[in-house]
Amino acid sequence: MSSPSYWAEESDVLMSFDEIEKLNEKTVSAVGTNMYDLKNQPEFIDGIALNEAIKKSSQADATYFLSWTYFGNGERATQEGFYEIVENTQNPDAKKEQQVLYGIATKRTELRALPTDVALLDTPSDPDTDNQYLVGVRVNEPVVITSKSKDGNFYLAKNACCSGWIPSECVAICKDKEEWLSAWDIKNEDALVVWGDKVYTEYSNAAKETSELMLTMGTVLEIAKDINPNELVALRAAYNNYVVWIPIRNEDGSYSRKLTLISEHENVSEGYLPLTKENIAKIAFSALGNVYGWGGSLHSEDCSGYIRNIYKCFGFELARNTTWQTSMPMAKVDMKNMAKEERIKILNGLPLGTILYISGHEMMYLGSENGKYYVINSVGTIMQPENPSVRQRISSIVVSTLDTKRANGNTWLEELTCAIVPYYGENEGKLPQYEWYHDG
């Protein structure tokens, strides 16, 4: 069951790339998804008012974290420590009419709740769960920057699905919007899409800036066209490699780009992958066993980040978390008030790739066998199957069944709240075995 081919070998295209792009437009603008249309963000903001709003919201965050978190040094979080962090949210160069900046991520990084490297831990014994993190940001991903921290080490930024503080050392600033768009708004036929777990550029002493870059699932780079195969890239010929443009952060923080090579054997695709069940399973299982990464930490993904990355490989833009995703304008079944028998009836008609939701968690449905319903998911903890009163740390991407129990004693099956099939779009038609419900 740990093989993608066990679950799916169908190669029929379920939705075209053009249809996916049209659905993205509706998803980004839908109420409740909390997504951002980056291309149409205001070019000027009131920086003074933003400073005040940031300070107020950061103080509220600090109050929230103060009662239950520990700093990364193992000491209980203190008001004094948070005071310094909140003060660092204030942009010393804020203006009444302040132009936004357009940035490109040059390293795989994360958006954070506060502008600091100080970890906010549940317990000193668990340094791998840092509540600072909000969402992972891929190489060459665009951000719109509205402010900067007092120390200059962080930008307040938006990506497509979230806003937060991003380390400035991981972002290059474009000279204008046109240059920014040229970096990431890439035609499908010119795109190289990383669909595997992680791809690394080769180590190079000659090209340190493009050496050993980690490119995570869903990364999209521009393929350099009309390259002479005898032309050297980082002192190498391009034989059996893709030649791609990599974003570079210059010493002054400005954007530029350089060519590098990515081996043909890597898990990458020229253009977004065709949306088939076979490809959905192939991508999902490429990360099987990976560490669970809260908010994109540990260079990995949590439950919703994992699902977002899978569907990004086909061109989808999904909302950040479970709550916001269930507001997406896609075919869905509201399962909150259903009896167990009705949930089973629905599961029997669901296709592979369906996103299943319970409060605070989501999974990708694989299928059923011998009365068991299987999912693949990035999960932190469950209750031990042999001793349901004991919490079991998993912290991995695993295949599991909906018999898995929560702390309240209910199974995931009993806790299901919603099912979404992204590739059905807004279709309100019928599945083979039951009527398809839309928004309940």
Side-chain angles (χ1 to χ4, degrees):
M1 289 185 175
S2 296
S3 168
S5 61
Y6 185 90
W7 298 104
E9 293 182 335
E10 298 97 323
S11 57
D12 293 339
V13 175
L14 304 168
M15 195 175 191
S16 71
F17 178 72
D18 289 343
E19 290 172 325
I20 292 170
E21 284 198 311
K22 290 177 181 177
L23 183 59
N24 285 341
E25 293 177 6
K26 296 178 180 178
T27 302
V28 169
S29 61
V31 174
T33 61
N34 290 301
M35 298 182 73
Y36 299 101
D37 180 1
L38 295 184
K39 292 181 182 179
N40 294 303
Q41 291 295 295
E43 295 188 22
F44 289 88
I45 50 103
D46 184 340
I48 304 298
L50 182 59
N51 254 359
E52 295 174 359
I54 294 170
K55 190 166 189 176
K56 185 177 180 179
S57 65
S58 297
Q59 286 171 335
D61 287 341
T63 300
Y64 168 70
F65 286 126
L66 187 61
S67 62
W68 59 278
T69 59
Y70 294 79
F71 289 145
N73 59 9
E75 296 179 359
R76 191 86 189 196
T78 63
Q79 188 69 58
E80 293 77 14
F82 274 119
Y83 175 80
E84 294 180 8
I85 295 171
V86 171
E87 285 302 303
N88 196 40
T89 65
Q90 299 301 284
N91 179 2
D93 300 322
K95 300 175 183 178
K96 181 70 175 176
E97 188 176 20
Q98 183 175 305
Q99 189 166 14
V100 303
L101 301 176
Y102 298 100
I104 298 292
T106 56
K107 298 178 182 178
R108 198 280 183 186
T109 185
E110 309 85 16
L111 293 181
R112 306 181 187 190
L114 294 164
T116 179
D117 288 324
V118 175
L120 299 176
L121 309 177
D122 291 348
T123 169
S125 63
D126 182 13
D128 280 350
T129 304
D130 185 349
N131 295 282
Q132 261 272 68
Y133 292 99
L134 300 175
V135 69
V137 179
R138 313 175 195 98
V139 171
N140 209 47
E141 189 168 342
V143 294
V144 173
I145 296 167
T146 55
S147 191
K148 67 178 181 180
S149 61
K150 185 177 180 180
D151 61 11
N153 292 333
F154 294 88
Y155 292 125
L156 184 63
K158 302 173 182 177
N159 70 353
C161 71
C162 194
S163 65
W165 296 92
I166 191 169
S168 54
E169 66 178 6
C170 299
V171 181
I173 305 301
C174 297
K175 63 182 179 182
D176 52 32
K177 189 174 182 179
E178 183 178 356
E179 182 179 63
W180 175 71
L181 287 169
S182 71
W184 66 273
D185 193 16
I186 304 166
K187 294 179 180 179
N188 188 28
E189 59 267 26
D190 295 333
L192 188 76
V193 179
V194 176
W195 63 261
D197 166 35
K198 294 181 180 74
V199 169
Y200 291 85
T201 60
E202 298 285 355
Y203 183 87
S204 173
N205 289 316
K208 291 289 188 182
E209 292 169 310
T210 59
S211 174
E212 287 194 313
L213 277 177
M214 182 173 64
L215 308 174
T216 51
M217 182 188 293
T219 299
V220 182
L221 303 171
E222 183 180 356
I223 298 173
K225 298 297 180 78
D226 301 323
I227 295 295
N228 184 332
N230 296 312
E231 179 182 341
L232 298 185
V233 177
L235 299 184
R236 299 173 59 205
Y239 298 169
N240 297 114
N241 279 267
Y242 296 102
V243 184
V244 296
W245 291 105
I246 289 287
I248 301 295
R249 186 179 193 270
N250 299 321
E251 288 187 8
D252 63 357
S254 63
Y255 167 85
S256 62
R257 63 180 191 168
K258 291 189 176 180
L259 294 174
T260 196
L261 303 178
I262 295 180
S263 302
E264 287 183 355
H265 77 269
E266 299 284 8
N267 292 334
V268 296
S269 169
E270 292 186 55
Y272 290 95
L273 274 76
L275 180 57
T276 67
K277 291 180 181 179
E278 180 182 29
N279 282 339
I280 292 172
K282 179 175 70 173
I283 294 168
F285 277 83
S286 75
L288 185 66
N290 274 12
V291 65
Y292 172 91
W294 171 260
S297 60
L298 306 180
H299 293 164
S300 196
E301 301 294 343
D302 57 21
C303 61
S304 53
Y306 170 58
I307 302 298
R308 283 187 65 246
N309 281 355
I310 292 170
Y311 274 105
K312 176 64 178 178
C313 296
F314 304 106
F316 284 92
E317 290 290 352
L318 302 188
R320 164 64 188 101
N321 61 32
T322 55
T323 302
W324 300 346
Q325 283 186 17
T326 54
S327 295
M328 296 186 301
M330 298 174 179
K332 67 188 71 169
V333 180
D334 186 339
M335 305 172 74
K336 289 190 288 291
N337 299 313
M338 288 184 178
K340 182 178 179 181
E341 293 73 19
E342 190 172 5
R343 292 171 188 229
I344 289 174
K345 179 182 177 183
I346 287 175
L347 286 169
N348 287 334
L350 289 174
L352 179 142
T354 299
I355 310 173
L356 297 178
Y357 297 87
I358 59 179
S359 178
H361 186 56
E362 67 184 77
M363 307 146 275
M364 177 171 284
Y365 184 60
L366 295 174
S368 63
E369 185 164 311
N370 298 324
K372 300 286 186 181
Y373 297 91
Y374 289 84
V375 294
I376 186 169
N377 61 135
S378 183
V379 62
T381 62
I382 62 172
M383 306 311 289
Q384 285 185 2
E386 66 277 7
N387 189 355
S389 64
V390 177
R391 187 180 294 276
Q392 173 67 52
R393 187 182 180 105
I394 301 297
S395 292
S396 295
I397 294 174
V398 297
V399 173
S400 49
T401 75
L402 293 182
D403 293 330
T404 302
K405 289 195 173 183
R406 308 198 84 182
N408 63 7
N410 290 338
T411 65
W412 285 358
L413 174 60
E414 293 168 323
E415 293 273 297
L416 287 174
T417 59
C418 184
I420 291 179
V421 185
Y423 55 81
Y424 281 2
E426 294 186 283
N427 177 29
E428 296 183 50
K430 294 182 179 180
L431 287 178
Q433 299 180 40
Y434 65 95
E435 282 197 14
W436 190 244
Y437 300 85
H438 183 75
D439 287 337

